Amino acid sequence: MEYAEIPYISIVLFLPLIGMLLLVVLPREEKNLLKWTTLIISLLGFFISLPLYFKFNPQNPDFQFIEHVPWIKAYNISYYVGIDGFSILLVMLTTFLLPISVVACWKDIQDKVKEFMICLLFLEMGMLGVFVSLDLFLFYVFWEVMLIPMYLLIGVWGSPARRVYAAIKFFLFTMFGSLLMLIGIIYLCVVIPDKITFSIPDLYNNVFISLGTQKVLFLAFFIAFAIKVPMFPFHTWLPDAHTEAPTVGSVLLAAVLLKMGTYGFVRFNLPLFPEASQYFALLICILAIIGIIYGALVCIVQVDLKRLVAFSSVSHLGFVMLGLFALNIHGISGGMIQMINHGLSTGALFLIVGMIYERRHTRLISEFGGLSKVMPVFATFFMIVTLSSIGLPGLNGFIGEFLVLVGAFKANYLYAVFAGTGVIFAAVYMLWMFQRVMFGEVTNPKNEKLKDLSIREIGVLLPILLFIVWIGVYPKPFLKKMEPSIIHLLNRVNKESVEKKKQIILVKKEKGYEFESTSR
């Protein structure tokens, strides 16, 4: 493991906290000052995170930029952070989207601006903490901390009609899963090891778990992460949360928060419970395929633009889960890059829906039509993002779905056959939605004088579109960062662990009692 000479991770992680403290002392009436302060802090976070990407060694599958400071010594809990190939791109996605989100809500948010900006920075710190934590206790703290600002964003600044209902539903679903995960963490870190440890690398290398125990712990973590993804049938909180949240809340929820669930599977379920992962792989792949098809079919019948984009996440993240549990390099590579692709494409779609809503204060598809004639620049951006979401070759969505389907085919050709229908359905609901909104005659007089995108709005969408094209044309720089970590993970999950069996036998002799064999 490589320890950090400069604490880049800590600086990026706690810079939002410094920004929150600055916002607290600034006068509430100075709305522009509050926004500029938040923007500068978020931009600083992004630029300081760039060395993490450029100095990251893509040949090293282990954790890098490690910082390790004892915290609660009695329970061997530490401030222990670092990144590897699985977390580097998610950290960069988070720091990249925060300044974009601040600019995107510049005109939207005029009420309780100070509190809103504090919530954004608080949310960023929580999300980053989840991706960089190498201590399970620290991970759980950040996992729970993240709930508070998102709950407030939905419940205070969401749509007046059902925002409180959506916020409470989001909170209760996530808390239920978190409680099960907490029980699993306590058992995994306190009961099983000889010495209490919450260190994730230590748990990877030194804790041996019987298959029966693996199954129980796998399910405890699985429910928490499946709710967050969200996988079918744990998805019912998502459409309400997305629909009622403010635009920026929807962007961050779709682009980053949902990835905390998929990240949890590659960080914990697969490496900590490898045999249980193989045991449950069939079930999870089936649920993922159901989610792909179900999410797409539900999108087809939606009349609300935002709700359509929300349900599309159920379908797209089904592809991610299918790739991860195909348990081969193509599937996991596709699943990981698809996390980033979904964050960019769906984040952009929510921004686009928000821009329409700002002008018309409605999201009903029937209220639009012919917008390409009055908003040609908007139509161009909308078209590119729509094609990206479908997975058009040359744009980012294609490479992720292609690798997932290759991995699925290698695991079981029926997975690829059924999941492939989701690609077709995606083209149906996205292109039909685009046609009804953008093409045809302008039949609604309220659409005749709509203003095209402003410079600020172009500035919000353009950086995302650059990455959409970059990943679609040349994905190698992104895939290269992940490949060694994926290979390392697969070696742990797939190989017959002779060394592990020898270690278990040794532990039996030392302790004088029998362990249940982990071999299947």
Side-chain angles (χ1 to χ4, degrees), residues 254-268:
V256 184
L257 263 74
L258 305 188
K259 310 311 176 298
M260 290 164 55
T262 50
Y263 171 78
F265 282 106
V266 295
R267 175 62 70 230
F268 300 109

Side-chain angles (χ1 to χ4, degrees), residues 192-204:
I192 293 178
D194 298 332
K195 179 183 178 182
I196 295 174
T197 180
F198 288 85
S199 165
I200 294 171
D202 286 350
L203 292 169
Y204 284 172

Side-chain angles (χ1 to χ4, degrees), residues 349-465:
L349 281 173
F350 277 118
L351 288 170
I352 284 168
V353 172
M355 291 170 186
I356 293 180
Y357 185 77
E358 280 182 40
R359 289 160 169 77
R360 285 292 323 278
H361 301 289
T362 181
R363 297 187 298 263
L364 293 176
I365 296 174
S366 59
E367 288 290 315
F368 300 104
L371 294 191
S372 61
K373 296 180 178 179
V374 294
M375 302 174 69
V377 177
F378 174 82
T380 303
F381 279 93
F382 196 1
M383 179 185 68
I384 295 172
V385 175
T386 298
L387 296 175
S388 161
S389 185
I390 292 171
L392 183 76
L395 299 176
N396 63 335
F398 173 74
I399 185 63
E401 289 183 355
F402 175 77
L403 287 173
V404 166
L405 290 174
V406 170
F409 193 92
K410 287 191 170 186
N412 186 323
Y413 75 93
L414 290 177
Y415 293 168
V417 171
F418 286 108
T421 62
V423 179
I424 299 170
F425 290 138
V428 172
Y429 69 76
M430 289 301 296
L431 292 176
W432 190 35
M433 175 271 292
F434 187 80
Q435 175 191 354
R436 287 178 289 168
V437 172
M438 305 308 301
F439 295 145
E441 297 299 322
V442 183
T443 56
N444 190 332
K446 295 179 181 178
N447 297 327
E448 291 177 352
K449 295 183 180 180
L450 292 180
K451 293 183 179 180
D452 210 340
L453 294 185
S454 65
I455 298 298
R456 176 184 64 86
E457 291 169 325
I458 293 174
V460 165
L461 292 174
L462 192 58
I464 300 177
L465 260 65

Side-chain angles (χ1 to χ4, degrees), residues 120-235:
L120 279 187
L121 292 176
F122 194 12
L123 183 61
E124 180 183 24
M125 186 176 70
M127 295 185 298
L128 289 171
V130 165
F131 296 135
V132 302
S133 293
L134 299 184
D135 182 282
L136 256 173
F137 183 85
L138 185 67
F139 169 85
Y140 189 79
V141 169
F142 281 116
W143 179 274
E144 293 298 280
V145 158
M146 173 278 310
L147 289 179
I148 300 170
M150 181 51 71
Y151 171 81
L152 293 173
L153 286 174
I154 298 171
V156 176
W157 291 275
S159 303
R162 301 175 76 237
R163 62 189 178 193
V164 175
Y165 165 79
I168 292 174
K169 191 174 182 180
F170 160 76
F171 195 87
L172 290 178
F173 265 74
T174 308
M175 279 298 296
F176 173 73
S178 298
L179 179 61
L180 293 177
M181 181 169 65
L182 178 60
I183 296 170
I185 288 173
I186 293 171
Y187 192 85
L188 176 65
C189 300
V190 177
V191 178
I192 293 178
D194 298 332
K195 179 183 178 182
I196 295 174
T197 180
F198 288 85
S199 165
I200 294 171
D202 286 350
L203 292 169
Y204 284 172
N205 299 320
N206 302 315
V207 176
F208 310 106
I209 312 170
S210 68
L211 177 57
T213 304
Q214 279 193 38
K215 290 178 183 178
V216 175
L217 291 175
F218 181 97
L219 290 174
F221 281 80
F222 166 79
I223 293 174
F225 298 143
I227 289 171
K228 184 72 76 178
V229 170
M231 284 186 69
F232 177 91
F234 305 98
H235 67 283

Side-chain angles (χ1 to χ4, degrees), residues 235-289:
H235 67 283
T236 55
W237 64 269
L238 180 70
D240 292 315
H242 268 317
T243 304
E244 305 306 321
T247 297
V248 168
S250 296
V251 171
L252 294 177
L253 181 61
V256 184
L257 263 74
L258 305 188
K259 310 311 176 298
M260 290 164 55
T262 50
Y263 171 78
F265 282 106
V266 295
R267 175 62 70 230
F268 300 109
N269 285 62
L270 291 174
L272 287 174
F273 319 119
E275 292 181 295
S277 296
Q278 292 179 339
Y279 181 85
F280 288 111
L282 174 62
L283 172 63
I284 294 175
C285 286
I286 290 173
L287 290 177
I289 292 168

